[in-house]
Structure formats: C-alpha cells, structure tokens
C-alpha cells in the first residue's frame, strides 16, 4: 500500500491500474454483466463488482457473445493469446515499492506537488516514457506480436536504467499495456499478431530516479479504415483540448466537460469506469480525473502533476473484463481508442511532461 493510503481510499475510483480485488465484490450471479461496473458520485467510489468467483460468468458471457465475427465487419473479436514468462530486470535498477506485492496499492491520498528537483525528475521520467512510446509506435505493423512489442519496450526501459512501472503492479505480468481494437485498456501483451487494419493503444509508464512518467497513444496498423481513423483522431483531440484548459485554480470537472462535449459532436461514447490520476513519486495518487461531465469538487494547483487519459468508443461504453483480471473490452466489440499524457500545472497553464 502506498504511503498515506487508507483502506477507504483503496475503494475509490478505479484508476488505470486498480484491479477488481481492491473494490467491492458484492453482486448476484444473476446481475447483468454491464451493471457490475458502478460509479457512485456521492461516495466517490467505483464498484467493479467482479471477482474470481464470477470468472465463470465472465467466461460464459464472453464465449457466447464474443467469439463470433462482428456484424457488418471483416474484423473478428479479439481473443487472448499465449502470455510468455515475466521478463527480468537487473538487480541494480531501483523498483517501485509495490513490486512483488500481489495487491496493487490503490490511489494514495494527497496530490503530487513538486519542488524544483521533483519537477526536473518528472521531466526526465516523462521524457523517457515519451521516447519509449515513440519507439514502440514504430514497431506497429502487421505480423508483429504484442509480446514482441513488450520485449522491445522492456529492453529500452532497462537499458536507460529505469523500471517498467506496470511490471509487478499487483499481478500484472508485463512491462507495457497493449490494447487492440475493442480493448479499452490494460491489454496484456501476448502471442497474438497484429493484423492489417488494427488499431492499438500502447501504454508506457517508466519509473526513473524515484518518479513515474505515464503516457499512451493509439497507433494504426497497416491500412486502417476511415471509421477507425476518425475515432483515433477525435480521441487525440479530446486530450489536447482538455490539456489546453488546465491551469492553476481551474476546476478538475472542466476536464470531463471538455472531453465529453467534443466526443458528443461525433456521437462517440466516453468510458467512465477508468480515470486519470495524480502521478509522481507514487504511480497513482489524488486527484482522480474523470473524463466525462461531472460535478466533483477540486481545483488544480501550481506544480501539481497528473494524467489525463480519455477512452472513447464507437459503440457501447460498457466494459467487460476477461478472466485474466486485467484486459477490458467493449461489451459490443466496438472499437475503442485512448491517448494519455502526464502534465504539470505551471503559472501559465500546463506543461506536457511526456513528450520527446
């Protein structure tokens, strides 16, 4: 558990790496699967009410509805491949405190607000994360497996004396998240080869000199159709517009309104169950950043760092989790895209820390 995190805070909104076992699991087997994810604004909780005891229900739902080809599409539903053994990190590279714990630490209380030295460390980790992401994007082509992308990302991170933050976060077995087509987030790299026309989000976080840099982007694989390209383009625009309104004193809820308003223009859905978060010496900290319209309180402060990471869908925003307890896909198999940056609140607005 991260320093300062209380048991109640572990039940808070599901950030981009908080798993089901930290959240309430009190559902009936007869409850419709989309309702297993529930956000309660009054209590600032998301109950992703899905546990290992319900893995059979998830499997039943997935096998019966997700194996078939998608209607009016040549694309087949995403299926899990074989996951290779966990990659090793040299012993001399410092690890985040949570490594080797099977329980993710959750969202730590208190914002990540930095002094001059902390800001420079955040710039360094953010720059490395951006460089790794840029390199990973050049690998995207038909025929490459997501496991091969993970291997390349892992090697580049450790070659730079950093630790791949996802590796060992709870039970996450890989160094990067690769989310293909209908995968909303947290896809585990495996033996599946990318196909012509796929889109893939690559989510990179590095831990360098005691600070995390967190970023992601969605890439085209080969010849991508116009529908997918438009979704990716608008998702990137949502992130850019959200960053542009950030500054000291601005209410966090304006981020959600900005993203939601732009997505609505194109009739795209905005995923609600996964959120941005404070980031710095702790992987996930306050504040919780909602990407949809909301009335949550809180304002940005100078020298604060956090992520904005909207996830948009062409169809349903209801998420379904695979039996690996990480991979989250759209209920109807519709495409999803995501972009993410770590930003620093400056006197004049916001600085993107995760850029080359």
């Amino acid at each position: 558990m991260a320093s300062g995190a209380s048991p109640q805070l572990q039940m808070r909104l599901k950030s981009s790496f908080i798993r089901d076992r930290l959240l309430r699991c009190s559902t009936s087997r007869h409850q419709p699967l989309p309702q297993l994810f529930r956000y309660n604004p009054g209590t600032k909780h998301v109950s992703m009410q899905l546990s290992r005891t319900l893995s059979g229900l998830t499997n039943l739902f997935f096998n019966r509805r997700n194996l078939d080809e998608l209607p009016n599409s040549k694309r087949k539903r995403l299926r899990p491949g074989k996951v290779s053994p966990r990659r090793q990190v040299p012993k001399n590279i410092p690890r985040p405190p949570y490594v080797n714990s099977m329980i993710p630490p959750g969202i730590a209380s208190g914002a990540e607000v930095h002094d001059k030295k902390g800001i420079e460390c955040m710039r360094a980790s953010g720059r490395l994360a951006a460089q790794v992401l840029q390199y990973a994007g050049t690998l995207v082509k038909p025929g490459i497996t997501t496991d091969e992308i993970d291997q390349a990302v892992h090697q580049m991170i450790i070659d730079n004396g950093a630790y791949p933050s996802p590796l060992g976060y709870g039970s996450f077995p890989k160094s990067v998240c690769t989310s293909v087509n209908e995968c909303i987030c947290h896809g585990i790299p495996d033996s599946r080869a990318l196909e012509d026309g796929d889109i893939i989000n690559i989510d990179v976080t590095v831990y360098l000199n005691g600070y995390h840099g967190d970023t992601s982007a969605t890439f085209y694989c080969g010849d991508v159709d116009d529908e997918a390209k438009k979704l990716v383009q608008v998702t990137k625009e949502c992130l850019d517009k959200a960053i542009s309104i950030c500054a000291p004193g601005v209410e966090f809820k304006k981020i959600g309104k900005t993203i939601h308003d732009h997505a609505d223009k194109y009739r795209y859905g905005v995923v609600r169950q996964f959120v941005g978060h404070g980031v710095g010496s702790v992987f996930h900290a306050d504040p919780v950043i909602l990407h949809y319209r909301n009335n949550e309180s809180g304002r940005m402060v100078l020298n604060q760092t956090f992520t904005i990471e909207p996830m948009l869908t062409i169809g349903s925003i209801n998420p379904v989790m695979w039996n690996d307890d990480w991979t989250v896909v759209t209920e109807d198999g519709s495409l999803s895209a995501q972009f993410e940056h770590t930003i620093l609140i400056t006197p004049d607005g916001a600085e993107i820390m995760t850029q080359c």
Side-chain angles (χ1 to χ4, degrees):
M1 180 184 296
S3 176
S6 67
Q8 184 178 9
L9 281 168
Q10 292 185 48
M11 299 288 288
R12 293 195 60 182
L13 285 166
K14 179 172 172 61
S15 84
S16 59
F17 256 102
I18 295 182
R19 283 184 41 193
D20 58 313
R21 62 180 59 183
L22 284 180
L23 304 172
R24 280 200 301 269
C25 297
S26 57
T27 182
S28 163
R29 288 181 178 269
H30 302 292
Q31 187 175 4
L33 196 58
Q35 295 180 15
L36 297 177
F37 296 79
R38 181 178 302 155
Y39 169 48
N40 302 313
T43 59
K44 295 186 179 180
H45 289 174
V46 164
S47 299
M48 193 182 67
Q49 296 173 319
L50 178 63
S51 70
R52 290 183 181 275
T53 62
L54 285 176
S55 61
L57 175 59
T58 309
N59 191 52
L60 177 65
F61 180 95
F62 196 77
N63 285 341
R64 289 190 175 179
R65 297 185 58 182
N66 291 29
L67 279 176
D68 300 330
E69 292 187 2
L70 294 161
N72 304 317
S73 175
K74 296 179 181 179
R75 178 172 58 87
K76 295 182 179 180
R77 290 184 187 267
L78 191 65
R79 299 299 298 146
K82 182 179 180 180
V83 178
S84 64
R86 175 170 169 167
R87 295 188 165 88
Q88 299 302 305
V89 177
K91 292 182 179 180
N92 64 302
I93 293 179
R95 272 82 164 151
Y98 55 76
V99 172
N100 297 324
S101 171
M102 293 301 292
I103 302 177
I107 295 182
S109 60
E112 286 281 336
V113 180
H114 307 280
D115 58 16
K116 185 176 180 180
K117 180 181 178 181
I119 290 171
E120 288 306 312
C121 287
M122 284 297 296
R123 287 194 177 113
S125 63
R127 188 183 311 113
L128 177 58
Q131 291 168 345
V132 172
L133 179 63
Q134 184 181 62
Y135 171 61
T138 67
L139 303 176
V140 174
K141 60 182 179 180
I144 193 170
T145 67
T146 51
D147 186 64
E148 290 172 318
I149 294 174
D150 179 80
Q151 182 178 24
V153 165
H154 179 90
Q155 192 63 48
M156 184 174 178
I157 292 173
I158 64 173
D159 283 349
N160 282 274
Y163 185 90
S165 302
L167 185 65
Y169 187 92
S171 62
F172 197 79
K174 290 296 176 181
S175 298
V176 68
C177 294
T178 52
S179 301
V180 179
N181 294 336
E182 70 264 34
C183 185
I184 296 171
C185 59
H186 305 162
I188 297 175
D190 62 20
S191 61
R192 180 192 182 274
L194 295 182
E195 300 178 2
D196 187 60
D198 283 347
I199 60 173
I200 175 173
N201 176 269
I202 302 176
D203 191 337
V204 172
T205 312
V206 305
Y207 183 69
L208 179 66
N209 297 324
Y211 289 82
H212 298 272
D214 192 1
T215 186
S216 84
T218 300
F219 299 94
Y220 304 138
C221 181
D223 185 16
V224 175
D225 64 35
D226 291 341
E227 182 182 49
K229 286 181 178 178
K230 191 64 176 179
L231 172 68
V232 172
Q233 174 189 332
V234 172
T235 306
K236 178 63 165 59
E237 290 170 358
C238 283
L239 174 61
D240 293 342
K241 288 178 180 293
I243 293 173
S244 73
I245 60 94
C246 292
V250 173
E251 295 176 298
F252 288 112
K253 66 182 181 182
K254 289 190 176 181
I255 293 175
K257 183 179 187 305
T258 300
I259 291 169
H260 213 153
D261 285 352
H262 192 61
D264 276 354
K265 294 178 183 177
Y266 300 91
R267 298 181 181 273
Y268 292 143
V270 180
V271 175
R272 299 188 174 208
Q273 287 78 8
F274 301 91
V275 301
H277 52 88
V279 65
S281 59
V282 175
F283 196 172
H284 298 105
D286 282 331
V288 167
I289 305 298
L290 304 181
H291 302 117
Y292 57 94
R293 295 185 197 95
N294 65 89
N295 291 312
E296 296 299 309
S297 61
R299 294 177 183 270
M300 303 171 199
V301 300
L302 185 65
N303 296 335
Q304 179 179 30
T305 51
F306 56 87
T307 71
I308 304 175
E309 42 190 298
M311 288 146 271
L312 269 57
T313 66
I314 287 177
S316 174
I317 62 171
N318 291 327
V320 174
M321 180 173 283
W322 284 5
N323 284 343
D324 61 22
D325 287 341
W326 284 105
T327 307
V328 178
V329 297
T330 56
E331 175 190 26
D332 59 359
S334 62
L335 292 176
S336 178
Q338 179 187 20
F339 283 85
E340 174 186 11
H341 273 309
T342 297
I343 67 169
L344 167 73
I345 299 302
T346 66
D348 301 322
E351 173 186 338
I352 298 174
M353 312 210 82
T354 42
Q355 59 184 0
C356 298

